[in-house]
Amino acid sequence: MSEAAAKFTEDRQRLELAALSAPAVIFTVAMIAFPVVYTVWLGLHSFSSTGKQSFVGLANYSRLLADTEFWHGLWVTIALYVLSLVLQLVFGVWLALVLFHAKRLPGIVRSLFISPFMMPPVVAGMMWLVILDPSLGAANYILQSLGLPPSEWLASPVWVIPTVALIDTWQWTPYVALIVLGGLQSLPPSVYEAAQIDGASAFKTFQRITLPLLLPTIVTATILRSVDLLRFFDIIYITTQGGPGNASNTLNIYGFRVGFEFFNIGYASALMLTLTAIVFGAVLAFNRLRGAVAW
Amino acid sequence: MKAKAFAARLALALVAAGNGASVACAADFDWKKFQGKTVTFLANNNPVAQALLTHKADFEKLTGITLKVDAYQEQQMRQRLVTVMNARSDEVDVFMSLPSREGPQFAAAGWYADLTPMTKGAVAGDYDYAGLSQALLKAGTFDGKLTSMPMNIEGPILYYRTDILKKCGVEPPATIKDIEPAAKKLKACDANITPFVSRGLKPAIAYTFSNMLHNIGGNYIANGKSNLCSAKGKEALETYSGLLRDYGPPGVVNYSFQQISALYRSGRAAMSFESSNELRTVMDGGERLKDTALVPFPAGDAGQVPTAIGWGMAVSAHSKQLEAAWYFVQWATSPEIQKRMALQGIAPPRSAVANDPAYRKWIEEEPVRKQWQAALDVLAAKGSSEVGYPIVANPESREFIGQAVQDLILKQKTVDQACADADKALDALIAQK
């Protein structure tokens, strides 16, 4: 076959490949792009309570900057994010080490350890709502049985954020642990053997070998949890609906209420796009970090 | 069989119909006119819809219409409705609506079909339009357009424990001013009992608070401005929040009907100000059946102005089969179906049903049911459907009422600060068109 004929066949094959995959590509792009473009369009419009629509340009975004509820929501979102993430990473690494070293742990116990994140968040929220009920819940019963004062948990403006963070930590620590466990299992045994020969203590081994080598895995877990935590909605909505007062009113909860309870779709879209930008920003920042700690 | 019996009763009613107009109307009426069609019903998965839908097969047999039910929890139902209506879609033919909440907003947006001509057109002989609660029909009428047909009547009432009050030597409160001393005495008498509980969850507060405000003699709007900082408004805010703060359960700011009913049913509350709809839940298990009494909320300076609302069935303005949809609405709000629902614990919005022998027999079986019906009679006669501000942005207005009450429960503001902040936000809402 001449060179020209071979090139022709190759071009034809490429064209056929492109034509065959085009519908799937177009469909996928449309499915991703349409909601985003539509939300951008909604954010540039104002919808009155009666459904009348008008183009307002960036007015929804300038309103957002002057909205104290937005800044409060941002603060709550960040506070909940930082607290939950730190707890989940610390306990997740700890749980992974326990599972990694306790090789004789029966399968059923291992399954129990990781079972919370398999539970639907709505079910988890309902369960914790009952447990933490200040009057009828088991949590205060246990505290009082131990001679400790009862707490108002989710009903206290001071304790609501730590309480929600604890619920999320209960649910998602096993997920972080599974990711870290995967990382632990892939670490080269030779470095541990060398450390053992050099007489390094268990703590020093962890501090100088395990933790640095695990960093890329921990950053991956951080990225995955960051996306979820910044968009945190379900458990908060089930347990507090943003209350008491507005103490747990995250940006996501605020945007949902503005859109679907007060029917202000334009402003809600601006809020949600801002939150999306924050999530993207966090992911990009952690991706850079992952590059920096790769080995 | 039930459908056949129902059809037979309807046929008898057609024959027996008294005045000429309704005979003419009834004579033309054919339940099978839309046989083969499909009507989509967006339902709130609450006890009212659950009771109604137990008879779904009867409707389909009677009319030949297929009823497609799209049921969600209340908030999710509204989400779906907002999406469908904003898209001007005909996916939903009939939906459940609370006129006291979203009525002005949905009416202004043009989402409701006007039912007025339908109630004068294709109507079965025994429908008895005039027998429906006129107050609820009025509450569902906006700018002269009837937007929904009432499915039930409900409102907050006071449940109290006769045994605990007797043990502590406390008389049931006759006025709002009697509640605080009664609660104080109950607290001193039995520290394990919550003396008084009502709604403390922010968006839920307006439902019960409105009753107290109106009984005290306050109103939400005066001269086009928010009126929470009036003397009566402040009195209502302080009384309601003070009762919950000093005599309510810990964590009351997260309490809505589920928590209140659970607390009362478990025997750990002496007085509970909660919806009449909760009777079935509260009496579940039978533990509270013999030690509970029910009354409308005690009178204030303005007497008793109870909150009385009801779910309504509305037809979507975007439906392409308004008449078939109306057939479903008509069947669902007919005297026969409302009687059947009443026997399932759904308070009927028709006095004729409330006087029906079978229903009366059910009521007479337990004293607490008699008291429940007596309280509902007061709601039907004197009730106000004003829950929150009577403005288009009613749902949002409930947020600011709830915020003011919570600020006081949590001692985060003085009453002057709380009402002033609420009035400022509410004036902006009132000004919105």
Side-chain angles (χ1 to χ4, degrees):
Chain A
M1 192 188 288
S2 71
E3 199 176 313
K7 193 174 181 305
F8 176 75
T9 311
E10 197 183 316
D11 286 350
R12 201 178 133 185
Q13 278 175 342
R14 268 191 200 154
L15 204 66
E16 278 173 1
L17 210 63
L20 284 171
S21 57
V25 171
I26 291 167
F27 180 75
T28 308
V29 169
M31 288 301 285
I32 295 168
F34 175 73
V36 175
V37 172
Y38 186 54
T39 309
V40 171
W41 182 84
L42 288 172
L44 299 174
H45 288 76
S46 169
F47 296 81
S48 72
S49 308
T50 59
K52 283 172 196 145
Q53 149 202 335
S54 53
F55 179 77
V56 293
L58 296 174
N60 282 326
Y61 294 91
S62 52
R63 172 182 168 184
L64 185 140
L65 295 174
D67 181 1
T68 52
E69 200 57 49
F70 165 75
W71 291 109
H72 174 78
L74 185 60
W75 185 88
V76 172
T77 304
I78 291 170
L80 198 53
Y81 165 69
V82 171
L83 189 56
S84 305
L85 187 65
V86 168
L87 288 172
Q88 286 167 31
L89 289 179
V90 170
F91 287 117
V93 171
W94 173 78
L95 183 59
L97 287 169
V98 169
L99 293 172
F100 183 68
H101 290 294
K103 300 212 189 286
R104 286 188 187 169
L105 214 55
I108 182 88
V109 179
R110 283 174 179 268
S111 301
L112 272 177
F113 268 125
I114 61 165
S115 61
F117 87 87
M118 294 184 219
M119 192 181 277
V122 173
V123 177
M126 293 299 289
M127 184 184 81
W128 280 104
L129 193 60
V130 173
I131 293 171
L132 298 173
D133 184 289
S135 299
L136 303 170
N140 273 355
Y141 177 78
I142 293 168
L143 283 183
Q144 286 171 305
S145 303
L146 297 171
L148 297 168
S151 170
E152 292 203 350
W153 303 108
L154 296 160
S156 157
V158 177
W159 287 104
V160 67
I161 294 291
T163 307
V164 171
L166 280 176
I167 296 174
D168 197 65
T169 300
W170 169 84
Q171 181 157 41
W172 289 103
T173 292
Y175 178 70
V176 174
L178 274 187
I179 296 171
V180 176
L181 187 61
L184 277 171
Q185 284 165 343
S186 68
L187 295 185
S190 54
V191 284
Y192 287 95
E193 286 161 12
Q196 209 171 14
I197 291 165
D198 289 346
S201 68
F203 178 72
K204 280 282 177 204
T205 308
F206 174 74
Q207 189 191 14
R208 297 290 170 90
I209 298 174
T210 309
L211 205 54
L213 291 179
L214 269 182
L215 267 181
T217 313
I218 292 173
V219 173
T220 303
T222 303
I223 293 171
L224 292 170
R225 287 309 300 138
S226 295
V227 172
D228 270 353
L229 279 166
L230 289 168
R231 300 176 305 148
F232 197 7
F233 180 84
D234 30 34
I235 285 177
I236 305 175
Y237 193 71
I238 293 291
T239 53
T240 69
Q241 293 187 19
N246 56 4
S248 60
N249 207 19
T250 58
L251 273 187
N252 215 358
I253 295 278
Y254 181 49
F256 172 82
R257 305 198 73 190
V258 168
F260 290 105
E261 291 184 18
F262 310 149
F263 309 118
N264 194 339
I265 300 290
Y267 187 48
S269 299
L271 282 165
M272 289 301 92
L273 281 171
T274 307
L275 179 60
T276 308
I278 292 169
V279 174
F280 266 110
V283 170
L284 287 177
F286 281 118
N287 255 335
R288 284 198 155 201
L289 184 64
R290 189 166 58 171
V293 297
W295 49 274
Chain B
M1 279 305 286
K2 276 181 185 170
K4 275 189 181 170
F6 181 42
R9 272 198 292 277
L10 282 169
L12 276 174
L14 298 184
V15 176
N19 71 53
S22 55
V23 167
C25 185
D28 297 338
F29 190 79
D30 174 16
W31 277 110
K32 295 280 187 193
K33 187 175 174 187
F34 298 104
Q35 189 163 14
K37 297 233 176 215
T38 297
V39 167
T40 303
F41 174 39
L42 181 63
N44 169 16
N45 192 18
N46 67 1
V48 181
Q50 283 164 6
L52 173 68
L53 292 171
T54 56
H55 310 294
K56 174 177 177 271
D58 294 346
F59 170 73
E60 293 181 324
K61 207 167 181 182
L62 175 71
T63 60
I65 294 172
T66 302
L67 184 66
K68 189 181 158 203
V69 179
D70 209 2
Y72 300 88
Q73 294 303 315
E74 186 171 339
Q75 195 49 44
Q76 284 66 38
M77 179 197 74
R78 286 203 183 91
Q79 262 176 264
R80 167 109 178 98
L81 189 67
V82 169
T83 311
V84 167
M85 289 303 191
N86 274 325
R88 299 177 182 276
S89 164
D90 63 348
E91 276 177 53
V92 170
D93 296 302
V94 178
F95 60 93
M96 286 174 71
S97 180
L98 260 184
S100 56
R101 186 184 188 278
E102 62 255 10
Q105 196 163 22
F106 288 8
W111 290 359
Y112 294 121
D114 184 7
L115 300 181
T116 318
M118 299 186 199
T119 59
K120 291 171 184 164
V123 181
D126 75 338
Y127 185 65
D128 188 19
Y129 174 77
L132 283 161
S133 160
Q134 294 304 303
L136 291 179
L137 285 171
K138 195 178 158 196
T141 302
F142 300 96
D143 294 329
K145 290 180 183 171
L146 178 62
T147 60
S148 63
M149 304 304 289
M151 301 175 81
N152 73 318
I153 184 166
E154 63 178 86
I157 53 177
L158 187 71
Y159 298 72
Y160 65 88
R161 290 279 299 276
T162 49
D163 56 335
I164 297 175
L165 265 65
K166 192 175 172 190
K167 181 184 85 178
C168 297
V170 175
E171 285 295 316
T175 67
I176 290 176
K177 288 191 167 66
D178 295 337
I179 300 175
E180 203 268 343
K184 195 172 185 178
K185 221 168 165 183
L186 287 164
K187 193 175 183 177
C189 167
D190 187 343
N192 293 319
I193 288 288
T194 297
F196 179 85
V197 61
S198 187
R199 295 187 181 193
L201 186 70
K202 190 164 65 168
I205 285 171
Y207 180 70
T208 39
F209 173 78
S210 299
N211 197 158
M212 180 175 279
L213 176 76
H214 292 138
N215 278 15
I216 283 173
N219 46 24
Y220 283 121
I221 298 179
N223 302 319
K225 293 278 179 189
S226 177
N227 203 30
L228 278 183
C229 275
S230 63
K232 296 287 188 189
K234 286 199 277 191
E235 184 185 337
L237 284 172
E238 282 188 310
T239 308
Y240 190 91
S241 59
L243 283 170
L244 291 185
R245 185 181 55 237
D246 299 334
Y247 305 105
V252 72
V253 286
N254 275 348
Y255 268 55
S256 187
F257 64 94
Q258 300 99 329
Q259 293 78 16
I260 294 169
S261 293
L263 188 76
Y264 187 85
R265 189 178 59 195
S266 71
R268 297 184 61 176
M271 291 186 280
S272 163
F273 183 33
E274 193 30 75
S275 170
S276 57
N277 267 1
E278 288 300 294
L279 179 76
R280 197 161 61 162
T281 311
V282 166
M283 295 303 155
D284 196 22
E287 286 159 329
R288 302 278 75 82
L289 203 56
K290 305 294 179 192
D291 62 19
T292 291
L294 307 173
V295 286
F297 194 62
D301 290 347
Q304 279 182 321
V305 191
T307 295
I309 60 166
W311 279 93
M313 291 194 83
V315 174
S316 163
H318 304 307
S319 168
K320 289 207 167 71
Q321 38 185 5
L322 295 174
E323 275 193 272
W326 162 245
Y327 266 48
F328 173 55
V329 171
Q330 183 182 175
W331 170 84
T333 57
S334 66
E336 171 63 19
I337 292 303
Q338 293 198 325
K339 189 181 93 178
R340 290 195 212 168
M341 287 168 65
L343 295 172
Q344 292 169 279
I346 304 301
R350 293 173 177 273
S351 53
V353 171
N355 294 324
D356 181 86
Y359 180 65
R360 293 307 318 174
K361 185 172 172 283
W362 181 81
I363 288 290
E364 298 293 334
E365 281 170 7
E366 294 292 346
V368 76
R369 289 185 190 157
K370 278 173 80 172
Q371 291 163 356
W372 180 69
Q373 184 57 50
L376 287 167
D377 288 343
V378 175
L379 262 61
K382 300 181 178 177
S384 157
S385 62
E386 191 179 87
V387 179
Y389 282 62
I391 55 174
V392 169
N394 173 282
E396 205 167 349
S397 79
R398 296 181 185 204
E399 282 289 305
F400 296 114
I401 298 166
Q403 184 68 57
V405 172
Q406 282 202 343
D407 285 341
L408 294 173
I409 293 174
L410 298 169
K411 291 188 172 175
Q412 291 182 327
K413 288 178 187 171
T414 64
V415 68
D416 288 317
Q417 287 171 321
C419 75
D421 288 350
D423 275 348
K424 189 179 166 194
L426 286 156
D427 280 340
L429 283 188
I430 293 167
Q432 277 179 17
K433 296 292 173 201

